[in-house]
């Protein structure tokens, strides 16, 4: 499992999704762990580079994730 924690006061994400290096949106379920912490399971994903994209308050942020088995 991989977790994402938003800073206090960041607000709820309007949209959160995962992409591959080509920008294709991937099917993954984000579960709320607590008010500002989310988790998702990458165990079924192939080795490679992915990005979790969070859009909130009119801004977009992408964080790199490397799956390395």
């Amino acid at each position: 499992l991989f977790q994402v924690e938003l800073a206090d006061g960041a607000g709820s994400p309007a949209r959160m999704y995962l992409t591959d290096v080509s920008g294709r949106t991937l099917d993954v379920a984000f579960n709320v762990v607590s008010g500002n912490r989310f988790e998702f399971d990458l165990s079924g994903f192939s080795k490679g580079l992915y990005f979790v994209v969070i859009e909130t308050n009119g801004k977009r942020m992408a964080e790199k994730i490397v799956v390395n088995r």
Side-chain angles (χ1 to χ4, degrees), residues 18-20 26 45-46 48-52 63-65 67:
L18 191 71
T19 68
D20 61 13
L26 304 173
F45 284 77
S46 300
L49 182 63
Y50 300 93
F51 295 92
V52 61
E63 289 293 324
K64 179 172 52 173
I65 299 170
V67 174

Side-chain angles (χ1 to χ4, degrees), residues 4-58:
V4 174
E5 185 170 354
L6 302 177
D8 289 337
S12 297
R15 187 168 180 221
M16 187 182 306
Y17 55 97
L18 191 71
T19 68
D20 61 13
V21 292
S22 68
R24 184 179 54 151
T25 301
L26 304 173
D27 187 25
V28 64
F30 289 87
N31 301 309
V32 178
V33 174
S34 67
N36 64 341
R37 189 179 311 160
F38 304 86
E39 70 180 13
F40 50 99
D41 187 3
L42 296 178
S43 63
F45 284 77
S46 300
K47 222 165 105 168
L49 182 63
Y50 300 93
F51 295 92
V52 61
V53 181
I54 302 166
E55 296 177 351
T56 185
N57 298 330

